[in-house]
Amino acid sequence: MLDSLRDFLDHGAWTQWPLPASVAVFVLVCAVGVTALVPKSLFAPVAGALFGAIGGTVVTLVGATLGALISLYLGRRLGRERIGGWLHKREALAVLDRKLSRNGLVPITVLRMIPVLPSSVVSYGAAATRISTSHFTIGTALGMLPMTLVQCAAGASVRHGLSTPVVVSVFVGCVLLALGMVAVRRRGGEPSATVAPPASDGAE
């Protein structure tokens, strides 16, 4: 089965496409999928298998970041006023909103590093705050980078085995993730608060 998969990756019909077309299609599918709440972790290994550990990481980051930006835009267009009013009725969340509006780069970066926190929760939750688009974009890409390196390396290993790019990607991804967690601990866990809206009043 593994040999069949490798044969498809090396000689399948998709290999007849020009590389720019393959990349563009994948980025578009990834962006739409992330916007529709499909986890980025499902796209990264596929990208690694198709484009290699490094190339897959770049392609996945572009697609996932684009999807996150679309989610931010949709969240602000469709529900920012309603959620924002709700946000400022709760002092703790109002404080968080003010922090994100001043410098949301670090909190967004750290939130993206948390594997169990769905990317869509961060994106649509951030839409309720006044975080700048630039901080959101940069923080999203930086925060997704460590796990994306590891996930794409896993996909690339199916096709190329434990090649040098695969090993390097896993190593760099793990180091970046560890450094991020150390930074959070030194800051006293400040970024651990999420930007997602809280549970409804009836559930409190």
Side-chain angles (χ1 to χ4, degrees):
M1 183 175 180
L2 186 58
D3 288 340
S4 298
L5 178 58
R6 286 173 176 166
D7 183 67
F8 170 76
L9 291 171
D10 290 332
H11 308 292
W14 76 275
T15 59
Q16 306 301 317
W17 294 16
L19 181 59
S22 300
V23 169
V25 169
F26 190 92
V27 167
L28 179 61
V29 171
C30 183
V32 172
V34 169
T35 305
L37 312 184
V38 178
K40 182 264 301 177
S41 57
L42 296 182
F43 294 103
V46 177
L50 295 177
F51 306 110
I54 306 301
T57 297
V58 174
V59 172
T60 303
L61 280 180
V62 172
T65 302
L66 180 59
L69 282 169
I70 295 173
S71 300
L72 181 73
Y73 173 79
L74 291 177
R76 286 180 168 174
R77 290 289 294 177
L78 300 177
R80 185 178 183 183
E81 291 185 3
R82 180 180 178 183
I83 298 176
W86 187 19
L87 188 71
H88 287 279
K89 290 180 181 178
R90 292 158 173 78
E91 182 58 29
L93 292 178
V95 171
L96 177 60
D97 185 19
R98 289 195 292 271
K99 288 183 178 179
L100 288 175
S101 66
R102 288 198 301 270
N103 184 9
L105 179 59
V106 172
I108 287 295
T109 300
V110 173
L111 288 169
R112 295 295 190 190
M113 286 186 175
I114 302 175
V116 297
L117 187 61
S119 175
S120 57
V121 171
V122 178
S123 299
Y124 286 108
T129 73
R130 292 172 294 176
I131 184 172
S132 71
T133 302
S134 60
H135 283 178
F136 178 86
T137 303
I138 297 171
T140 291
L142 290 177
M144 286 183 176
L145 177 59
M147 285 305 300
T148 302
L149 280 165
V150 174
Q151 292 160 352
C152 287
S157 67
V158 173
R159 186 176 183 182
H160 304 291
L162 294 180
S163 62
T164 299
V166 168
V167 174
V168 170
S169 294
V170 172
F171 176 76
V172 173
C174 291
V175 169
L176 290 176
L177 190 60
L179 290 176
M181 294 303 99
V182 169
V184 172
R185 292 180 65 87
R186 288 186 175 179
R187 291 175 63 90
E190 176 186 340
S192 61
T194 73
V195 295
S200 62
D201 294 337
E204 291 179 347

